[in-house]
Amino acid sequence: MADPKKLFIKTYGCQMNVYDSERMAEALGASGYVTTERAEDADMILLNTCHIREKAAEKVYSELGRFKPLKAANPDLKIGVAGCVAQAEGEEIMRRQPLVDLVVGPQTYHRLPAMEAAVRQGARAVDTDFPEEDKFEHLPKGPRARRAPAAFLTVQEGCDKFCAFCVVPYTRGAEVSRPVDRVLREAEDLVERGVREITLLGQNVNAYHGEGPGGTWGLARLIRRLAKIEGLARIRFTTSHPNDMEDDLIAAHGDEPKLMPYLHLPVQSGSDRILKAMARKHTAESYIRLIERLRAARPDLLLSGDFIVGFPGETDQDFEDTLALVREVGYGQAYSFKYSARPGTPAAEKTPVPDDVASERLHRLQALLTEQQRAAQDAMVGREVSVLFEKAGRLPGQMVGKSDYLHAVHVTDPRAELGQIAKVRIVASGPNSLAGELV
Ligand code: SAH
Ligand code: SF4
Ligand code: F3S
């Protein structure tokens, strides 16, 4: 048998891209590819890209440039661009970077095997359709290999919300939910392959409305059904929109033990004026009331969020309102970004906030969020948490896992095993992780 061809995939952007990269590797697995960690060894390089901010998109071109010597050394090397930059820019990518052989959007990567074959014949292939068929049903399956203990599972994709700053509705398309039975089948398969924790993914995962027995199911019902899978110990979901937080999902945080006490709920700004300009369709007040209801259901819920500073028209007072919201909510973790004007979005037409002002705001917001994150971590010291060990650490006998609250926890103990969920007492808090001992 010929040596298998080697595939190098580099993933940018959100967790959904991580999931998609796994699926693309499986799809090309059926065409005889095995993955490699080294771009120099590859017969095919795929960049799975993100278009969310200008920097993310530009990174793709600098990365592509670096592959030039590899292609000179190996004329059979094929280079592909997948993901959201592929969707947004399509053929333009090939004009800007002639060494690209293949461009495939997030909704057509089930066609990769055919595209790969065409590219091997010397063609250049572009496919950025939004096809009728469900890509997940048309993906060739790879080998049923053992999986790492924590896995992603996409249940919903796309977005109809059209926040004024955001490219996702254009790059991922309209909101689509996968049917309940398909999700269950995939979850059961993951569990059989060693998975103990599943994170349900969607651009607006809590807008999930999949067809299932008896009609349309919401996310809470799906989670309650998944929780019945024996061997599946933990369920998470991301990313949610405040307007889609249905009552039963709030309740599930209180009464479904397998649903972990961590919630990523982006708010973007604490100023109603800016929220309105962003077309978020909620207020700071309604967000805070929602958090209160969630905390009433699950008092120890650890909250995470996303923030944008320097949105067009943001004044000092608007920014102070964001700081005030952050102080009121108290986040265990958060992501904050300087507004980046994205071509084709309504906000890109507006006059930007001066860059130095935006940078200064970002700096102040991040200082506050880091302080809150440290406080939440430090508060774990002395507590007992459950930890799922996901990989070996750098030290001998060390395991690294995630607590119920999604904190990274290091434990050095020969009894700690991969895939095990153990009770751990937290003994120390570092900048980005905790240290603990088996109880
Ligand atoms: N679907 C999710 C977020 C998807 S994008 C939601 O609705 O919250 C992830 C985050 O990137 C967003 O929450 C936002 O904070 C940030 N983001 C999106 N577009 C951006 C832009 N143009 N400039 C800066 N940050 C942006
Ligand atoms: Fe983007 Fe808004 Fe949709 Fe989130 S809800 S993906 S921020 S348009
Ligand atoms: Fe980026 Fe696309 Fe995800 S733009 S954040 S990779 S949906």
Side-chain angles (χ1 to χ4, degrees), residues 21 153-154 162 297 305 316 378:
S21 288
L153 200 177
T154 293
F162 292 92
D316 285 339
D378 293 349

Side-chain angles (χ1 to χ4, degrees), residues 27-38:
L28 288 172
S31 307
Y33 281 86
V34 296
T35 53
T36 171
E37 302 288 310
R38 288 164 43 91

Side-chain angles (χ1 to χ4, degrees), residues 69-285:
L70 297 184
K71 201 144 179 172
N74 174 11
D76 289 335
L77 170 65
K78 302 296 175 191
I79 295 180
V81 178
C84 291
V85 175
Q87 190 64 46
E89 298 188 2
E91 238 163 280
E92 179 59 28
I93 296 176
M94 289 180 167
R95 270 192 288 273
R96 237 181 108 176
Q97 185 41 277
L99 40 95
V100 173
D101 302 286
L102 179 162
V103 174
V104 63
Q107 303 309 346
T108 43
Y109 61 72
H110 56 295
R111 298 174 180 164
L112 259 179
M115 295 175 79
E116 190 271 343
V119 160
R120 286 277 157 226
Q121 300 300 316
R124 301 179 90 191
V126 180
D127 193 341
T128 53
D129 281 358
F130 286 109
E132 284 290 311
E133 76 266 16
D134 172 356
K135 68 173 175 243
F136 297 113
E137 289 309 294
H138 289 80
L139 275 172
K141 296 275 178 272
R144 293 188 74 262
R146 189 98 188 141
R147 296 280 307 236
F152 293 133
L153 200 177
T154 293
V155 301
Q156 181 277 345
E157 216 180 325
C159 180
D160 297 337
K161 296 221 161 30
F162 292 92
C163 299
F165 50 81
C166 183
V167 294
V168 171
Y170 312 98
T171 63
R172 290 278 166 171
E175 243 181 47
V176 179
S177 295
R178 294 176 69 191
V180 172
D181 62 334
R182 313 260 163 85
V183 174
L184 288 178
R185 222 190 299 149
E186 191 166 326
E188 279 159 3
D189 176 67
L190 288 172
V191 171
E192 277 168 26
R193 291 159 69 185
V195 169
R196 315 259 359 241
E197 172 181 306
I198 293 180
T199 301
L200 305 175
L201 297 182
Q203 264 91 33
N204 275 297
V205 71
N206 58 341
Y208 178 83
H209 56 280
E211 287 315 306
T216 306
W217 290 32
L219 186 65
R221 189 166 176 196
L222 183 70
I223 288 170
R224 292 182 189 286
R225 174 63 188 81
L226 287 167
K228 295 204 170 85
I229 299 177
E230 219 180 303
L232 178 62
R234 297 169 147 196
I235 302 170
R236 306 179 188 277
F237 60 90
T238 197
T239 295
S240 298
H241 191 287
N243 291 358
D244 292 317
M245 214 67 209
E246 49 170 356
D247 292 344
D248 194 23
L249 191 54
I250 298 175
H253 274 285
D255 60 28
E256 180 42 69
K258 290 188 181 178
L259 184 58
M260 292 292 101
Y262 177 99
L263 179 65
H264 183 64
L265 196 60
V267 63
Q268 315 298 354
S269 168
S271 153
D272 287 345
R273 229 175 50 81
I274 294 299
L275 287 170
K276 190 149 192 253
M278 287 176 163
R280 288 289 293 181
K281 301 184 184 76
H282 59 76
T283 62
E285 182 67 17

Side-chain angles (χ1 to χ4, degrees), residues 50-61 85 89 342:
C50 174
H51 201 243
I52 202 81
R53 283 168 291 274
E54 194 183 351
K55 260 198 200 133
E58 283 306 313
K59 232 187 267 171
V60 175
Y61 289 100
V85 175
E89 298 188 2
R342 307 307 291 128

